Amino acid sequence: MDTQINVKGKYALASKIIRGEDFRNNLNYYDLLCLFDSYLKNCDLKDVTRIKYLFTACWFFDFLDAEGKVLSQCDIHLCIKFCVLIDNMKSWSAFYKARSKQQFKRLLKWLHDNEMIPFSENTVLPKIIWHREESLPSFYTAQEVSAMLDAVDISTAKGKEHYLILTLIVYYSLRISDVVYLKLSSIHWKDNEIRLTAFKNGANITLPLIEPVKLSLLDYLMNVRPSDCTLDYVFVTSDPPYRVKEELRTHNYIIKGYLEQAGVDCSNRHHGFHALRHSGATRLLECDTDVETITAILGHSSPNITMAYLTADISVLKDLALEVPYVKKV
């Protein structure tokens, strides 16, 4: 079986379930997915977290279909085979694979608790281990990032959308969640500032509205975003009924495409939104920006977390070493 999956398609299906759209005639296991979503909702999970669990569930049920099996025929061997598929996703980091297995484990627990499968989740996945150092983001130089931006065709609607996403990450090192859920009310044109609350940890972030970002924003808002949309979000769907375009969170692939168009070799480096975000943070460190300031920009809760993502010249790290508190390993 082909280990590569239609990520965009699975995410779109999960989003439809979250929104309560009825498409049972086009999807096996539709009712089961809705029941699983009700369970996740009762666990007080955010919509964006539920989508991740539903994404994995959609993939697993499609896997069963491809194997010619129904849920009542599911056994431990099939579940382990599905875990191997996760491990074989070449473009996924160790962390992303571990998170997908954790989501799958929770699905198995729910199925077992509701007597839909005869074995427990711990039989398949007794313990999930991953090593953070394997998933550290790769670094791109300022020249490589500039070449990537130049490769975007901003004469098209898609190009304008992609260019705005990339500039927000490149210049501000924002998380993709903060980009996708950026609100019009967060842009203060008169004060030349963007004021937002970080989606992940609720931190308040104030950023200067610099010229490259301002021009990209104006181009997108005037020429791409539907003029009759009353939602407060910047990124919305092109056709009614309008909604925030949350599927953009999975569009990591656009970065690889633009890097390749620019002639940048990314074959041995990560090439997603995180790599861009932390490349920008690394350049700040190389410019002698103190770690506390970079921590505030990234929205991290501690400088220790920030340092885990920074890749910089060793001479710069030596100069800043005293500013980072020593933490004894337990």
Side-chain angles (χ1 to χ4, degrees):
M1 175 184 290
D2 185 4
T3 60
Q4 302 307 306
I5 61 173
N6 181 358
V7 173
K8 183 178 179 181
K10 297 291 183 298
Y11 195 89
L13 289 176
S15 298
K16 287 182 178 180
I17 293 170
I18 292 288
R19 295 194 298 271
E21 296 183 21
D22 190 339
F23 55 103
R24 70 184 72 237
N25 293 331
N26 300 319
L27 180 70
N28 293 334
Y29 300 106
Y30 170 84
D31 292 329
L32 191 57
L33 287 167
C34 289
L35 287 173
F36 183 50
D37 182 45
S38 296
Y39 156 74
L40 296 173
K41 191 183 298 184
N42 290 335
C43 294
D44 293 327
L45 298 181
K46 291 182 178 180
D47 287 0
V48 66
T49 304
R50 284 160 50 208
I51 286 176
K52 293 173 183 176
Y53 280 99
L54 289 169
F55 165 87
T56 301
C58 287
W59 183 17
F60 175 63
F61 292 140
D62 271 3
F63 163 77
L64 288 181
D65 279 344
E67 292 288 326
K69 303 291 185 181
V70 294
L71 185 58
S72 60
Q73 297 174 302
C74 181
D75 56 23
I76 296 173
H77 172 74
L78 279 173
C79 291
I80 293 175
K81 188 174 181 179
F82 180 72
C83 290
V84 172
L85 287 185
I86 295 176
D87 284 331
N88 288 339
M89 293 300 291
K90 296 178 181 178
S91 62
W92 288 10
S93 68
F95 166 74
Y96 201 92
K97 292 174 182 177
R99 188 179 70 178
S100 296
K101 288 180 182 177
Q102 193 63 50
Q103 292 160 0
F104 179 49
K105 186 174 182 178
R106 189 162 186 169
L107 171 65
L108 292 179
K109 181 182 187 308
W110 177 76
L111 291 172
H112 179 254
D113 288 348
N114 287 275
E115 300 182 347
M116 288 183 251
I117 56 174
F119 51 90
S120 73
E121 72 282 1
N122 291 320
T123 308
V124 179
L125 291 163
K127 189 174 183 179
I128 300 172
I129 301 174
W130 69 283
H131 302 286
R132 178 173 289 276
E133 61 270 23
E134 294 178 7
S135 60
L136 289 177
S138 298
F139 174 72
Y140 291 90
T141 66
Q143 292 76 15
E144 289 173 327
V145 172
S146 179
M148 178 200 67
L149 290 175
D150 288 341
V152 182
D153 181 6
I154 57 174
S155 66
T156 67
K158 180 180 290 186
K160 294 178 192 295
E161 180 182 77
H162 288 175
Y163 192 78
L164 177 55
I165 292 170
L166 295 176
T167 54
L168 287 167
I169 297 174
V170 166
Y171 289 104
Y172 296 141
S173 293
L174 289 174
R175 294 185 179 92
I176 184 58
S177 56
D178 292 325
V179 171
V180 170
Y181 297 109
L182 179 64
K183 295 183 177 181
L184 295 172
S185 57
S186 296
I187 306 168
H188 298 265
W189 301 97
K190 291 183 179 180
D191 297 330
N192 276 321
E193 288 183 343
I194 297 178
R195 304 170 199 155
L196 57 89
T197 300
F199 182 83
K200 183 175 182 178
N201 56 20
N204 293 321
I205 303 173
T206 299
L207 302 163
L209 185 54
I210 59 177
E211 199 68 13
V213 176
K214 181 188 290 186
L215 293 175
S216 184
L217 263 169
L218 288 171
D219 190 20
Y220 174 80
L221 294 176
M222 295 174 64
N223 300 305
V224 179
R225 191 180 186 277
S227 58
D228 60 335
C229 178
T230 59
L231 295 177
D232 193 26
Y233 294 103
V234 171
F235 295 100
V236 295
T237 52
S238 56
D239 299 310
Y242 299 119
R243 58 176 176 81
V244 60
K245 201 170 181 180
E246 56 194 355
E247 59 266 29
L248 290 173
R249 290 172 59 117
T250 67
H251 287 197
N252 279 285
Y253 63 87
I254 68 174
I255 296 177
K256 181 181 180 182
Y258 291 129
L259 286 171
E260 291 178 342
Q261 288 180 45
V264 177
D265 182 12
C266 59
S267 56
N268 294 317
R269 289 183 283 181
H270 294 305
H271 38 262
F273 294 128
H274 278 297
L276 277 191
R277 167 174 153 83
H278 294 105
S279 290
T282 298
R283 285 193 294 277
L284 288 173
L285 183 63
E286 292 176 336
C287 292
D288 293 334
T289 306
D290 63 87
V291 176
E292 286 75 15
T293 299
I294 300 174
T295 298
I297 292 172
L298 292 179
H300 288 161
S301 59
S302 165
N304 296 319
I305 298 174
T306 301
M307 289 305 297
Y309 289 96
L310 293 176
T311 305
D313 183 84
I314 189 64
S315 62
V316 179
L317 289 176
K318 284 181 178 178
D319 291 339
L320 295 174
L322 294 178
E323 299 178 17
V324 183
Y326 172 73
V327 179
K328 184 177 180 180
K329 291 184 178 180
V330 179

